[in-house]
Amino acid sequence: MIGGNSGTGGKWSSRFGFILAATGAAVGLGNIWKFPYITGENGGGAFVLVYLICVLLIGIPLMIAELSLGRRGGKSPVNTLLDLARESMAPQWWWMVGMMGVLAGFLILSYYSVVAGWTLVYSIKMVTGGFWGLNASEISNVYDQLISDPVQLLFWHTVFTGGTMWLVAQGVQDGLERAVRFMMPALFGLLILLVIYSLLVGDASQAMNFLFSMDFDKLSGDSVLVALGQAFFSIGLGMGMLIMYGAYLPEDVNIAESSFIIAAADTAVALLAGLAIFPIVFANQLEPGSGAGLIFQTLPIAFSHMPLGSIFGFLFFLLLVFAALSSSIALIEPAVSWLMESRQLSRADAALYSGVAVWLTGLLTVFSFNEWASVQIFGMNLFELIDYLTSNIFLPLGGVLIAVFTGWVVSQSLLLEQARMNSLVFKIWINLVKYLVPAGIFLVLLSAIGVF
């Protein structure tokens, strides 16, 4: 057997630790605002139903594939795909698919850490009463002043990147797993507390109607594509981190069963986030579809006018910090692992070099909001360009190629050994991975680049 977790010298201590880590990797800032918003705009419960079907038919099958490849290879995505290609007597260029995932995660973290820095700023402002007594225009100005100040953005980008790399440097069990064992229960606890608060002081009935009413008239072909894309991106596919987390997976963990649990937990967080946000949004006559602006411009207005608003506003932004951090350690882990394998670096050195590279690349995002705002490429600033390349090209293209590699290149006996399904379930799964998964993600790719 190849691999055997030899590349990085670490494993999750238990199935529970792995599920927490993989759920933390999947749950990010986008879950907190994007999923609830697109749910409400595309038919509420009808959209959730379509989304769950997409998760079942595309998201979970590809998650099982990535985790199975990772556990079999036992190394970074780059070397896992290289080793498996050799074992399958296939062309060795498949390692480039792994490298594309590593690069995507690296680039995403470079701007993610800048945005995550905003959550740190806002959590501090909330707990110190920095928004108290301000009107809507003044609160909006806080956001504008923050992104126009490169020094402040640089400071918080540095703090967040440094914290992420410090955790990664501690190792699989002492760093990654210990962090998520604290952060994920804290995240769920904070989320439930915020849901209770929001339902009590906000407009619960309008929020419930927005999120869960079965309005099939709002469903369209575009809605299905949105659901497909969300099912793919929300779980964290195509960026190498699930292959990496699979490399740390003990042999006795059932991958298929764990994948269902992770997908369910990820969806639960997104729906709970909607119940935490939208009662407050509707009670204050705010615009539910304002995206990132909802978090950093309109919600602080609501919290500043609500009972115990400073406390619960602080808890909300602390929730965002945890969501960002649990995703960030997963985004950079494939790059750290690859450096350890290819350059024989210690984990601490690999984390340091990765962190410096992420920090430097993050300067493109920091300055794209201010000093370099006039720099436009294809009509996008540098932040928007990096986001577009990673989200619309690297991730879906990587997902398609991983599905093709799993379904058509790797031997089925090897996959059966890892997935441990009965023959009927395995046959259904492998056919989904061969045909439906790549076709579905390819539609997402075509839609993302504007073909239709």
Side-chain angles (χ1 to χ4, degrees):
M1 177 180 173
I2 64 172
N5 298 87
S6 61
T8 51
K11 285 189 180 182
W12 306 115
S13 66
S14 65
R15 175 173 174 263
F16 179 66
F18 157 67
I19 288 173
L20 282 181
T23 303
V27 171
L29 297 178
N31 286 69
I32 308 298
W33 64 265
K34 186 177 181 182
F35 181 80
Y37 158 58
I38 62 175
T39 295
E41 291 295 286
N42 289 278
F47 177 82
V48 172
L49 184 62
V50 174
Y51 169 78
L52 290 175
I53 292 170
C54 292
V55 168
L56 282 171
L57 297 181
I58 291 179
I60 291 175
L62 189 56
M63 187 192 301
I64 293 170
E66 290 198 19
L67 292 171
S68 298
L69 296 178
R71 183 160 68 182
R72 175 65 180 185
K75 296 179 181 177
S76 69
V78 178
N79 288 320
T80 283
L81 265 66
L82 177 62
D83 286 352
L84 291 175
R86 285 172 175 162
E87 186 180 41
S88 304
M89 307 296 287
Q92 295 184 19
W93 59 260
W94 283 101
W95 70 266
M96 290 189 289
V97 178
M99 181 58 77
M100 185 164 58
V102 171
L103 180 60
F106 172 87
L107 289 173
I108 290 170
L109 182 56
S110 77
Y111 69 77
Y112 200 78
S113 66
V114 177
V115 177
W118 304 350
T119 67
L120 291 169
V121 173
Y122 273 64
S123 60
I124 293 169
K125 283 187 177 294
M126 277 291 176
V127 79
T128 58
F131 293 112
W132 205 251
L134 300 184
N135 60 35
S137 176
E138 289 169 332
I139 287 177
S140 184
N141 284 339
V142 171
Y143 174 76
D144 293 336
Q145 289 168 8
L146 172 62
I147 65 172
S148 65
D149 183 352
V151 175
Q152 194 174 178
L153 291 185
L154 196 57
F155 175 78
W156 292 108
H157 168 52
T158 304
V159 169
F160 190 84
T161 303
T164 299
M165 304 322 298
W166 180 81
L167 285 172
V168 171
Q170 306 308 305
V172 177
Q173 289 188 23
D174 292 337
L176 278 65
E177 186 172 343
R178 181 175 291 179
V180 295
R181 277 182 179 271
F182 165 74
M183 285 190 293
M184 294 314 294
L187 186 148
F188 274 99
L190 286 172
L191 199 46
I192 291 168
L193 187 62
L194 284 163
V195 168
I196 294 170
Y197 171 77
S198 184
L199 293 175
L200 288 174
V201 303
D203 190 336
S205 62
Q206 194 172 348
M208 289 286 205
N209 185 60
F210 182 75
L211 283 170
F212 299 118
S213 64
M214 287 277 189
D215 188 353
F216 286 96
D217 290 336
K218 286 187 179 179
L219 275 180
S220 63
D222 285 344
S223 299
V224 175
L225 276 175
V226 170
L228 261 174
Q230 186 66 19
F232 176 74
F233 293 118
S234 178
I235 298 173
L237 302 167
M239 59 188 81
M241 61 189 188
L242 287 175
I243 294 177
M244 192 69 260
Y245 276 21
Y248 304 144
L249 200 54
E251 291 297 324
D252 60 345
V253 173
N254 185 302
I255 287 176
E257 186 181 277
S258 299
S259 297
F260 276 92
I261 294 171
I262 294 160
D266 180 66
T267 303
V269 167
L271 291 173
L272 284 171
L275 290 175
I277 291 171
F278 287 115
I280 294 174
V281 168
F282 290 120
N284 289 272
Q285 290 82 50
L286 301 175
E287 171 53 51
S290 51
L294 177 70
I295 300 299
F296 296 108
Q297 290 175 287
T298 55
L299 275 183
I301 300 171
F303 281 121
S304 69
H305 292 90
M306 298 178 75
L308 304 176
S310 291
I311 295 172
F312 283 93
F314 164 70
L315 294 177
F316 176 76
F317 284 102
L318 184 63
L319 167 76
L320 293 184
V321 172
F322 287 156
L325 195 52
S326 62
S327 292
S328 295
I329 58 179
L331 285 168
I332 199 59
E333 179 62 20
V336 171
S337 176
W338 177 70
L339 282 176
M340 291 168 65
E341 294 165 1
S342 62
R343 298 291 180 266
Q344 284 75 54
L345 297 177
S346 67
R347 174 170 279 274
D349 285 345
L352 175 62
Y353 295 153
S354 299
V356 170
V358 164
W359 184 86
L360 289 171
T361 309
L363 299 183
L364 298 175
T365 294
V366 166
F367 293 121
S368 71
F369 294 110
N370 37 74
E371 304 296 326
W372 298 342
S374 61
V375 178
Q376 300 278 312
I377 301 174
F378 304 119
M380 295 176 278
N381 65 29
L382 295 174
F383 161 65
E384 292 166 341
L385 180 65
I386 296 170
D387 182 35
Y388 179 85
L389 288 173
T390 52
S391 299
N392 295 347
I393 297 176
F394 285 8
L395 296 191
L397 182 58
V400 168
L401 292 172
I402 287 292
V404 170
F405 182 75
T406 306
W408 298 95
V409 176
V410 180
S411 74
Q412 293 196 7
S413 61
L414 181 155
L415 293 169
L416 183 59
E417 175 191 330
Q418 290 300 323
R420 293 173 197 157
M421 307 169 182
N422 66 50
S423 57
L424 176 60
V425 174
F426 179 82
K427 189 173 183 180
I428 294 170
W429 170 71
I430 197 65
N431 279 295
L432 286 173
V433 171
K434 278 185 171 184
Y435 304 107
L436 187 62
V437 171
I441 300 172
F442 191 63
L443 285 176
V444 171
L445 175 61
L446 293 179
S447 175
I449 61 178
V451 173
F452 53 84

